[in-house]
Amino acid sequence: MNLGRRLRESIEGAKALNICSFRLAARNPSLLRNYISVTLQKYDELMEIGLPVKNPLRDFAAHDFDTLSVPLLFQTGGGTDPREILTLAAVTKLCKPARIFEIGTFNGRTTAVFILNSPSNCEVFTLDLPPDGGDLAHHLPTDVALVQDRQPEAYLRRAGLAGRYRQIYCDSMTFDPEPFGNSVELGFIDGAHAEEFVRNDTLKMAVMMSPRGFVFWHDYGGKGSFRPLSKYLESLPIELYRVPATSLAWTTASEMKKLVPPAGPTRLEVQSQRLSA
Ligand SMILES: C[S@@+](CC[C@H](N)C(=O)[O-])C[C@H]1O[C@@H](n2cnc3c(N)ncnc32)[C@H](O)[C@@H]1O
């Protein structure tokens, strides 16, 4: 990490120092980082710094007897906490998507949430690096441990969900979104967290989105190495929100489509236009 970034992070972290943080550091220094990150994230939310807060469930009509299905054991790593899992489950249940596309399977826990709460004829796709793609991890600026620790498909097989989804093994940087163009009604972006990957995954998701539905990103609002992800999302020229008390950011499919450049003539068409002029 370069010196400038380390300095910026230390100054940022100093905002959350208080008596509790010193006590925590005295008890177990490794907990301090987590405390500072959670505290600053909550501070930004309450001070209305960054994306505005909006609950994606607000405009849906739900009954108090509606139910959700979530895996009982949350401990499969991957970072999504119970509130995030419940939000994704509820959006899936209420949005009733015909097609879901997730970038970043890890062990398949969020994939399971999508499968369990979507209509039985919904197509669920989840993309991750090939199982033997661990070598690629060394070239990633973030997420090296996640790529190496994952056990793709094992969890979903144990959960009896093997036939309910399609696993795509591909580096998202080389993935071609065109065959999925305008068809996805619920998108989840939780692959590599470095800015170039989030930009790539966001623009490809925009191509894949149908005009209806929602897109969610995980790890919005994080500090340290996740800060560029937040800055990138805040820089997008569309309406984007954060889900209260989570690290989920979201937008509607119609906003997302604004990121797709209008289709111009192909190079071949331009050439033939020139020839016929
Ligand atoms: C945070 S985990 C996803 C967690 C999962 N959504 C959950 O909560 O259960 C990120 C995943 O993205 C994958 N990943 C990282 N870089 C990638 C890339 N370039 N293309 C595809 N997947 C990538 C990693 O292998 C890892 O499994």
Side-chain angles (χ1 to χ4, degrees):
M1 193 192 304
N2 70 38
L3 201 62
R5 194 165 124 203
R6 201 183 283 251
L7 193 66
R8 267 199 310 281
E9 280 181 18
S10 304
I11 294 170
E12 179 98 345
K15 282 201 245 162
L17 292 181
N18 52 33
I19 293 181
C20 298
S21 57
F22 289 120
R23 279 184 154 165
L24 199 62
R27 173 177 273 208
N28 182 348
S30 68
L31 295 176
L32 184 62
R33 197 177 178 82
N34 180 258
Y35 176 80
I36 289 177
S37 165
V38 171
T39 308
L40 288 181
Q41 226 165 313
K42 193 69 199 167
Y43 173 82
D44 286 353
E45 187 183 316
L46 295 173
M47 289 292 282
E48 300 178 6
I49 297 169
L51 298 180
V53 172
K54 188 170 169 186
N55 187 340
L57 304 173
R58 215 183 54 172
D59 299 330
F60 284 108
H63 303 290
D64 55 5
F65 49 81
D66 284 341
T67 56
L68 301 173
S69 305
V70 293
L72 183 62
L73 298 178
F74 283 101
Q75 285 79 17
T76 70
T80 29
D81 71 18
R83 195 185 282 260
E84 293 166 344
I85 293 277
L86 285 176
T87 302
L88 294 172
V91 169
T92 309
K93 189 84 179 204
L94 294 167
C95 168
K96 297 185 177 46
R99 186 176 266 189
I100 298 175
F101 200 105
E102 170 182 61
I103 299 180
T105 318
F106 192 56
N107 289 349
R109 181 180 47 173
T110 38
T111 321
V113 171
F114 294 132
I115 297 168
L116 292 169
N117 294 283
S118 54
S120 57
N121 58 352
C122 172
E123 295 178 294
V124 179
F125 293 88
T126 182
L127 179 143
D128 209 297
L129 292 167
D132 61 357
D135 280 354
L136 230 160
H138 300 296
H139 305 291
L140 291 174
T142 57
D143 304 279
V144 176
L146 275 175
V147 177
Q148 286 169 341
D149 291 352
R150 79 210 147 107
Q151 295 183 320
E153 307 206 51
Y155 174 78
L156 290 164
R157 224 177 289 128
R158 280 206 319 274
L161 299 173
R164 300 274 310 273
Y165 71 102
R166 273 184 271 169
Q167 180 75 57
I168 302 172
Y169 285 125
C170 183
D171 180 354
S172 69
M173 297 301 264
T174 55
F175 171 68
D176 176 11
E178 290 297 341
F180 292 87
N182 301 311
S183 71
V184 172
E185 295 185 345
L186 181 57
F188 184 46
I189 300 177
D190 191 17
H193 296 82
E195 185 180 342
E196 63 192 292
F197 290 84
V198 182
R199 185 186 311 116
N200 168 78
D201 297 352
T202 300
L203 297 178
K204 288 183 178 172
M205 190 63 84
V207 170
M208 293 194 285
M209 287 312 290
S210 101
R212 90 173 272 273
F214 296 89
V215 177
F216 284 78
W217 290 260
H218 192 232
D219 293 307
Y220 170 72
K223 304 295 168 189
S225 59
F226 286 3
R227 182 73 195 116
L229 180 160
S230 305
K231 278 191 137 177
Y232 169 70
L233 294 186
E234 287 161 11
S235 76
L236 288 175
I238 57 172
E239 282 182 24
L240 231 81
Y241 309 97
R242 66 163 82 199
V243 180
T246 73
S247 72
L248 292 173
W250 68 279
T251 189
T252 59
S254 54
E255 281 297 310
M256 195 73 172
K257 288 314 273 182
K258 295 180 185 169
L259 298 176
V260 182
T266 63
R267 216 156 17 138
L268 213 64
E269 283 163 347
V270 172
Q271 269 172 359
S272 67
Q273 275 166 11
R274 279 205 200 115
L275 285 173
S276 60

